[in-house]
Amino acid sequence: QSKLDTAVALLREHNAEATLVVAPWGELTGAQLLSRIKSDLGRGKANDVSLFYYSGPATADGRLYGSNAPAEDDYITVDQLRKALDAVPGKKIVILDCSYSGLYIGKEPIGIADKASADAFNATVINAFSSGVAGKTNLADSNYYVLTSCSMGETILQYNNGRTNYTIFSHNMLLGSGYDDLSNTFKSSRPADTNGDRKLTLNELYVYCSNAVNQQGEADGFTQSVQVYPLNSSFVCWGK
């Protein structure tokens, strides 16, 4: 809860009028989360930017957990999330830190061993978008800026430092932005800000997180490939 409070305070410092939907994972059912997206983020304007960040479990076919899963059928599908976010005006930054999250933008690393296991999913989700069929269900679109912690066939690295559980992706995203979540301290530098303009673009976050996660994965004998859409984007996600 303290990390959430810190994040909210930081956002409020830069935008006192921002609409924030904040809840620890496990507090909202899938239906409640979709409803909050509609009722809170849906009030935005065409020139607004909304940020959706999810860190939690997911199924191999890309469904996010609601608070009652897996005991009950309480999941959010790619199609449901896409439809809810499509109703939000303006640009959308979507950050997904969960296993198999690359499914949301159809991303897989070269030579993935279990590509066949995702073919059925891709046929109805990824290919539906790429062929221009109505009813788009993934998040690869001009109004979306998406960062996922891994590819469609991968699970994610999680650690415990003796005090808290954390994921290597979110940890490095925060480190690159100048905040150490493990010590709850702000740093004077932002390592992901390669050009020093105090603004972090989607591409800067992607490059920093991808390199950091790859290095940690190699050290632990684990493959986790950070994914991004669109590539080489100069869209500013946040800054100070």
Side-chain angles (χ1 to χ4, degrees):
Q1 184 62 48
S2 63
K3 293 180 182 179
L4 284 175
D5 292 341
T6 300
V8 168
L10 183 60
L11 289 170
R12 288 291 185 211
E13 179 184 342
H14 299 289
N15 189 345
E17 298 179 356
T19 297
L20 303 179
V21 182
V22 181
W25 175 80
E27 284 193 1
L28 296 177
T29 67
Q32 288 172 334
L33 178 55
L34 293 173
S35 178
R36 292 290 298 275
I37 291 175
K38 179 180 179 180
S39 63
D40 295 344
L41 299 183
R43 295 179 298 178
K45 300 179 178 62
N47 59 347
D48 285 344
V49 177
S50 299
L51 168 64
F52 179 86
Y53 168 76
Y54 175 87
S55 180
T59 65
D61 61 355
R63 292 175 294 158
L64 308 182
Y65 276 48
S67 58
N68 294 324
E72 299 179 18
D73 187 15
D74 183 20
Y75 302 95
I76 299 173
T77 66
V78 182
D79 179 58
Q80 290 172 320
L81 181 61
R82 172 68 195 248
K83 287 180 178 178
L85 291 173
D86 273 350
V88 176
K91 303 293 186 181
K92 277 86 68 170
I93 302 170
V94 180
I95 300 175
L96 300 174
D97 188 7
C98 56
S99 296
Y100 316 109
S101 51
L103 286 164
Y104 279 76
I105 50 176
K107 287 298 184 73
E108 57 180 307
I110 300 299
I112 185 171
D114 59 350
K115 179 181 182 298
S117 68
D119 282 348
F121 183 93
N122 291 344
T124 56
V125 178
I126 307 307
N127 293 341
F129 170 80
S130 61
S131 60
V133 176
K136 297 168 290 188
T137 48
N138 69 18
L139 298 176
D141 196 3
S142 59
N143 285 328
Y144 288 95
Y145 299 87
V146 188
L147 195 62
T148 70
S149 59
C150 64
S151 72
M152 62 173 61
E154 297 173 343
T155 54
I156 60 173
L157 278 168
Q158 302 181 69
Y159 296 91
N160 185 291
N161 66 350
R163 300 188 308 275
T164 184
N165 295 317
Y166 65 98
T167 67
I168 195 63
F169 169 79
S170 286
H171 173 61
N172 279 287
M173 181 178 65
L174 293 171
L175 278 180
S177 302
Y179 174 67
D180 186 344
D181 57 315
L182 300 184
S183 63
N184 193 27
T185 57
F186 290 95
K187 305 298 183 181
S188 58
S189 63
R190 299 170 182 83
D193 181 17
T194 54
N195 63 1
D197 66 353
R198 300 174 67 84
K199 299 176 182 178
L200 291 170
T201 66
L202 182 67
N203 188 62
E204 286 177 322
L205 288 170
Y206 165 66
V207 170
Y208 181 85
C209 291
S210 180
N211 290 337
V213 170
N214 283 341
Q215 290 175 7
Q216 187 66 55
E218 289 178 0
D220 292 344
F222 193 92
T223 300
Q224 180 177 336
S225 309
V226 176
Q227 306 294 332
V228 68
Y229 177 88
L231 287 169
N232 303 313
S233 174
S234 60
F235 184 81
V236 175
C237 294
W238 49 75
K240 185 176 181 180

